[in-house]
Amino acid sequence: MQSATPASFPAGPMPATVLFVDDEQRILRSLRMLFATQFKVLMTTDPREALVMLKRETVHVLVSDQRMPIMQGVDLLRKARDLSPDTMRLLLTGYSDLEAIIDSINEGEVFRYINKPWNADELRSIVGEAAAIAVGLRTLAPAVPLRGETAQRRILLIDDAADVASGLRTMIEEGFSGAFALDWVTSLPDAMGILERNQPSMVISELSVGGDDMMPFLKLLKLHHPHIVTIVQTTFRDTGLLVELINQGQVHRFLPKPMRKAMMLRGIQSGMELAREIHLHPEVAARHRVDVPPRPADAGLVGRIRSLFRGGPASR
Amino acid sequence: MEHVAELSVNVEPLDPEVSIMEVGDLFLEPRYDGFLSLPVVRDGQPIGVISRYGVQKVLMGRYGRELQGAKPVVAFMNDAPLVVPLEHSVEQASRHITRNIRFPIVEDFIVTRDGEYHGVGSVIDLLRGLEDRLMARNDSLAQSLNRLQESQTQLVQSEKMASLGQMVAGLAHEINTPLGYVRNNVELAHSAFGQLREMQEVFDSLVMLLQSPQADDAALQQAFERAMAVRGQAAAGFAPEDMEALFTDTMYGLEQISDLVINLRNFSRLDRSAVVNVDINQCVESTLLIAHNLLKHKVEVIRDLGELPPVTCAPSQINQVLLNLVSNAAQAIEEHGRIRISTVCHGGFVHVLVKDDGKGIRAENLERIFDPFFTTKPVGEGTGLGLSISYKIVRDHGGHIRVKSKPGKGTAFCVSLPVTSGA
């Protein structure tokens, strides 16, 4: 195990702990130099050792490479999520593998996906943000539930296809015996309407609906309504888009079409559990805080969405 | 011309009761000049054909005209004439006629429509029709051949692009890793340098004050404290040994990136002459460097390279063949395995053996692996052209490529290239 505590930390609260995992030693040395002044830095080339560290001490942020001989980064993230769910998980990789990125969303619930070579300032800022969230969550006292769970939880489906809607409706009725109600819309304006009126806990959306690109909506949704858990269900697969969905949308699951029943059931199950947790402890939403999109592609559409959001219920 | 209908000529048929003498007179008329024979039709149905030859036989006999002339044509006609429906193709008609025609050719054939008399056709016209069809088909075949050749060129090109694309993606990842820490280290060094520069300025002013006779104690004290503060900051940042280590790492990283670019250039040989005398071992090494990304973590490479005389070849093509074999071998290995590459000179040839302990090739597939588009990969993966192109390249070099395999055990490919004559 290698760790580095620099000569002097700035006076104040204990520094957060960041664990770096990469099969290239030189990358680790370089990252340590970048973070040693602000954080307690742990590093290892062996993902198995990383898991031991996660068990043994409080790690606030885990930053891992993807392509490693012993274990892939995504596998490490998944195990880390089970072992230490409050540890914020980041993937720092030079290798674009579509399957790995999808897995990092669905199984690793990764917070940010960063490409190598990285920009030092950006990386510092992302790790800093992740650490702050993790520290904030750990100091949470166990909260009292805010209100009872009398209301039926609602799911909003945004998709053009009627067969997708009916398939989902049937599956929800069979799989969850009416615990959740499904609202189905086929356009963006209709979606905004339902958001306002019915206050769903979860949104399941395609990427293009009624001719509109749903990406800006999904990003802004998470920004303004962080308590709503989103699932994207689509046939479209593109690494750039997936990275945006992670970094700026913090989408909970990325699922294929045609719908695979077991995957969707598990996705809704875990998503609703997360929604419930956020409902009881709203601060937990911070764990999935999104990056504000740098520059919207279609100013007109985004402007419309923004104004609709501003007119809606206040985000918590 | 496609169908019999197009060469059918509508001639007025003969009534069965017309006398043979009258038929003779008819054949003398100018309007029947082109006809070898005339059809005999009863109630719309063709029942026979009477040829000039047939008439001649009757009327030229001794006292033929007087004795037979008044008899009806039915008595002398061919009552089993050649009949062809008008919708038949020229080829079909030709087959039927060839099978059934009697020599010498003295008759035209009858063309029917729904079994009823429609007209007559001549064998000469049929032949002409056939020849036209043959010419048209030749033209169309020539065009198809052209298109196929173009397609083939495009496909070979796209296979090259596809394998190049894979290689480039692998290389990009390889370069990304050293680039990551090199870039970070340079940024860190820059910021450390900034601190050192600040320190230097502060100490310079302190020294100047110490040297100046007018300096008062208070000013000196202040300058001293500032110097200590700045020095303290620098010390908190980076220890000199750490920075040294970073510089060593950075130089190493730059070496790596450099090597990768050189490997790429060597492999593609874009800046070198196309055909040269090479030591094939160099091609092997060049290929293994490029393929490193495919192999690391998964495959152990064992080299067994013998002394080789030069081979006249296009090294970029040989590299392409070797990369194809090595990447196939790597893909055949599922979790971990070995690839053994041996080279030896024997019998006027340089032999390169690429052996893996992967899953092997089934016997029924073995004879097809060099076929274009043959692949055992799932749809969408690979073009199935790699080995067929490799085969062509090796053949073009005057060499051969052989394979042996045992499912579950592994596969061995042997590429043999002729040694440069006179070497």
Side-chain angles (χ1 to χ4, degrees), chain A residues 26 29-30 94 116-118 120, chain B residues 176 181 184-185 187 249 252:
Chain A
R26 294 177 184 84
R29 283 202 283 270
S30 189
K116 278 181 189 163
W118 65 84
Chain B
N176 254 337
Y181 60 80
N184 196 47
N185 292 354
E187 286 189 41
D249 284 349
Y252 181 89

Side-chain angles (χ1 to χ4, degrees), chain A residues 62-96:
Chain A
L62 168 63
V63 180
S64 175
D65 186 20
Q66 165 59 16
R67 210 90 166 321
M68 298 185 288
I70 301 169
M71 191 193 301
Q72 301 276 282
V74 168
D75 293 320
L76 174 60
L77 289 186
R78 189 185 65 239
K79 295 192 161 100
R81 185 197 59 170
D82 293 335
L83 211 53
S84 173
D86 281 340
T87 302
M88 301 293 278
R89 297 170 289 282
L90 274 56
L91 202 55
L92 174 65
T93 174
Y95 189 74
S96 288

Side-chain angles (χ1 to χ4, degrees), chain B residues 3-56:
Chain B
H3 302 290
V4 170
E6 292 162 68
L7 48 75
S8 173
V9 178
N10 193 357
V11 66
E12 173 115 22
L14 297 172
D15 191 276
E17 302 311 315
V18 167
S19 74
I20 192 74
M21 206 162 54
E22 281 175 74
V23 178
D25 290 337
L26 280 174
F27 271 128
L28 292 173
E29 286 179 34
R31 62 181 162 123
Y32 291 116
D33 256 353
F35 296 93
L36 285 174
S37 60
L38 288 171
V40 180
V41 170
R42 177 184 287 140
D43 300 327
Q45 300 290 315
I47 56 170
V49 148
I50 182 71
S51 61
R52 286 181 196 262
Y53 181 70
V55 168
Q56 189 183 30

Side-chain angles (χ1 to χ4, degrees), chain A residues 88 111-112 129-130 132-133 222-223 226 246-247 250 284-291:
Chain A
M88 301 293 278
F111 177 65
R112 290 287 183 266
E129 184 187 352
I133 294 172
K222 205 64 186 174
L223 195 60
I246 295 174
N247 294 345
Q250 272 293 288
V284 169
R287 204 190 281 150
H288 301 282
R289 187 185 304 156
V290 291
D291 242 351

Side-chain angles (χ1 to χ4, degrees), chain A residues 2-27:
Chain A
Q2 300 181 62
S3 79
T5 317
S8 63
F9 268 125
M14 270 299 289
T17 304
V18 185
L19 168 56
F20 292 101
V21 184
D22 195 304
D23 62 330
E24 170 63 69
Q25 272 280 4
R26 294 177 184 84
I27 293 260

Side-chain angles (χ1 to χ4, degrees), chain B residues 50 177 212 235 398:
Chain B
I50 182 71
T177 302
S212 130

Side-chain angles (χ1 to χ4, degrees), chain B residues 107-227:
Chain B
E107 287 172 8
D108 297 321
F109 54 89
I110 296 186
V111 180
T112 54
R113 182 207 180 103
D114 298 324
E116 302 224 322
Y117 171 75
H118 181 78
V120 298
S122 77
V123 171
I124 293 283
D125 284 340
L126 193 61
L127 273 175
R128 249 183 242 131
L130 277 173
E131 189 182 349
D132 284 342
R133 300 267 293 162
L134 208 59
M135 297 275 293
R137 193 173 300 152
N138 277 352
D139 277 340
S140 136
L141 277 173
Q143 273 179 32
S144 290
L145 183 63
N146 256 341
R147 277 199 301 269
L148 273 172
Q149 280 172 338
E150 271 174 30
S151 285
Q152 186 185 43
T153 321
Q154 275 177 15
L155 279 166
V156 167
Q157 195 53 22
S158 88
E159 157 70 12
K160 263 202 198 136
M161 286 291 113
S163 65
L164 200 69
Q166 270 184 354
M167 194 177 81
V168 167
L171 274 170
H173 174 245
E174 291 244 4
I175 293 181
N176 254 337
T177 302
L179 197 58
Y181 60 80
V182 162
R183 177 174 159 168
N184 196 47
N185 292 354
V186 169
E187 286 189 41
L188 286 167
H190 190 207
S191 120
F193 176 72
Q195 285 187 331
L196 285 172
R197 214 169 56 181
E198 201 195 343
M199 221 168 78
Q200 181 184 40
E201 282 167 18
V202 157
F203 272 87
D204 271 353
S205 43
L206 177 61
V207 166
M208 260 178 47
L209 269 182
L210 284 169
Q211 287 174 330
S212 130
Q214 285 99 357
D216 63 82
D217 280 352
L220 219 51
Q221 181 71 17
Q222 211 183 44
F224 185 73
E225 274 165 15
R226 247 190 84 211

